[in-house]
Amino acid sequence: MEVLLDTRRQRKLLILYLFIGTVAAQCSKPEAGENMVLTEESLLKNDFPESSEVTLECSNGYEKASGSGIMNCIDNKWTEPDLNCKKKDCGFPKAEPHMEFNISQGTLFGSVVTVTCEEGYQISGSSYKHCLPRGWFGKASCNIVTCSKPTEVENGEHSWKSDIKPEYQQTIHFTCKAGYTMLGNQTIQCTKTGKYDSEPPQCIATTVTARSSTNISTLKQGHRIRSSEETNTTPSTSKKEQNIETLNVNKDKGHAAVIISVVVVTIVLCLVAFFLNKFLMRRKGSYDTGEDLKPELLQFQSL
Ligand SMILES: *[C@@H]1O[C@H](CO)[C@@H](O)[C@H](O)[C@H]1NC(C)=O
């Protein structure tokens, strides 16, 4: 009987003990530390009796550096979790062709890299990449810069036969039809701005240009000579020249005068000679004393 009684009392005590024990050994809802969260399974729990356990994991964007993340309820308190979390590293972004990154902020979770394109390439899409829990976010591509197709040149041709637009650094060559001269650059190049480095050339009719240009050049030359005369010869020298010219004219006039005077003198001399002759003849006559007729003198006369 005593043994039976004892066992009954023991049972009662045990039940009482268990009841008090469960009430007393309940842990409060666990709280996660920085950069950590409770696992989904742990979050669904409502009761945290003595010696029960929950598990923590690293929050989004973080990864386990060390530890297990298990917390135990011991004496109404949760043990400190030994979990260590660190930021995820997105790593170097995948390089698209002709793309460049500025990773001065680093590549860890939360950081941003700027995306640029090589010279002659144009970005399309986002110029940023954001390191998110699942990796880099932000898509971009670098496309080569294009220039508009070259315009047709009157009386000339260009080398661009393709239907697509010329790309950065591609060149277009121009030629002029026979009889036409090129005015401008024979070759133009597509630049990084999407514009050509110069305007396309023009084809100008050669004959017209040649004639007009020579005319212009001769005109210019004439003008140049005249202007140089005007500028280089001082008024005094030109006056001197004028004097020389007048001298020359005078010289010419002098020549004429000399000729005229020679003629006049000759005529005068001739006249003088003529009249002198006549006069002498007359005098001879006046002196005619008949001696001529003397036979002894006539002898001489006939000589
Ligand atoms: C020819 O090209 C050069 C450089 O490419 C440029 O500086 C020049 O202005 C161009 N000339 C003409 C007539 O367009």
Side-chain angles (χ1 to χ4, degrees):
M1 272 300 281
E2 265 190 47
V3 175
L4 251 171
L5 242 169
D6 273 2
T7 52
R8 248 184 223 167
R9 198 182 282 168
Q10 272 180 355
R11 244 186 234 164
K12 271 184 184 168
L13 276 171
L14 185 68
I15 289 160
L16 188 70
Y17 174 80
L18 280 173
F19 178 74
I20 293 162
T22 45
V23 169
Q26 184 81 21
C27 267
S28 58
K29 200 176 158 116
E31 275 176 28
E34 217 182 328
N35 311 323
M36 296 171 199
V37 288
L38 284 162
T39 58
E40 217 171 297
E41 192 197 351
S42 303
L43 273 172
L44 291 171
K45 286 181 180 170
N46 289 312
D47 297 320
F48 306 100
E50 175 75 12
S51 78
S52 68
E53 69 170 48
V54 289
T55 312
L56 291 174
E57 61 182 7
C58 294
S59 50
N60 245 350
Y62 290 80
E63 58 192 2
K64 195 163 82 177
S66 63
S68 64
I70 292 169
M71 291 198 294
N72 293 97
C73 180
I74 296 169
D75 295 336
N76 300 359
K77 280 180 182 163
W78 291 108
T79 56
E80 276 294 315
D82 61 349
L83 182 67
N84 277 302
C85 293
K86 59 172 187 186
K87 280 182 178 178
K88 266 186 188 172
D89 192 345
C90 280
F92 198 84
K94 192 176 153 249
E96 300 275 331
H98 312 292
M99 194 177 278
E100 289 162 346
F101 301 114
N102 178 355
I103 57 163
S104 59
Q105 271 195 37
T107 59
L108 296 180
F109 170 65
S111 57
V112 171
V113 301
T114 51
V115 182
T116 51
C117 293
E118 282 173 16
E119 189 170 278
Y121 291 81
Q122 208 172 19
I123 194 164
S124 71
S126 172
S127 49
Y128 296 98
K129 276 185 187 287
H130 207 141
C131 181
L132 296 183
R134 286 179 164 207
W136 290 111
F137 182 82
K139 255 186 103 70
S141 60
C142 289
N143 306 307
I144 196 157
V145 168
T146 56
C147 289
S148 56
K149 283 205 284 175
T151 51
E152 296 301 325
V153 172
E154 236 177 285
N155 302 311
E157 273 193 59
H158 62 67
S159 61
W160 193 258
K161 304 294 175 213
S162 173
D163 276 341
I164 59 162
K165 287 174 160 188
E167 293 175 344
Y168 169 61
Q169 279 188 330
Q170 280 186 315
T171 55
I172 291 139
H173 305 276
F174 291 89
T175 50
C176 285
K177 271 194 220 166
Y180 290 86
T181 306
M182 193 173 289
L183 191 68
N185 284 324
Q186 192 188 354
T187 303
I188 61 171
Q189 191 176 44
C190 181
T191 67
K192 62 179 177 182
T193 60
K195 298 251 185 286
Y196 290 103
D197 60 353
S198 72
E199 290 288 310
Q202 288 175 283
C203 291
I204 313 282
T206 307
T207 49
V208 172
T209 31
R211 206 176 296 153
S212 64
S213 69
T214 49
N215 283 351
I216 287 162
S217 69
T218 46
L219 270 173
K220 273 183 183 169
Q221 261 185 325
H223 180 72
R224 213 176 297 136
I225 289 159
R226 214 175 301 139
S227 62
S228 73
E229 272 176 352
E230 277 163 15
T231 51
N232 293 350
T233 58
T234 53
S236 67
T237 54
S238 65
K239 245 181 202 168
K240 228 179 250 175
E241 274 176 7
Q242 274 184 339
N243 290 347
I244 289 160
E245 268 185 305
T246 47
L247 265 175
N248 284 348
V249 169
N250 289 350
K251 224 187 257 174
D252 286 349
K253 277 182 187 166
H255 279 301
V258 164
I259 288 161
I260 288 161
S261 47
V262 163
V263 168
V264 167
V265 164
T266 315
I267 290 164
V268 166
L269 280 175
C270 282
L271 285 171
V272 165
F274 176 74
F275 286 111
L276 199 67
N277 190 35
K278 258 199 167 171
F279 172 74
L280 282 173
M281 289 285 273
R282 216 179 288 166
R283 263 191 87 170
K284 216 186 204 174
S286 63
Y287 280 107
D288 197 355
T289 51
E291 277 176 23
D292 295 357
L293 298 169
K294 284 176 186 171
E296 56 272 38
L297 286 174
L298 270 170
Q299 233 181 319
F300 293 102
Q301 219 172 17
S302 64
L303 279 174

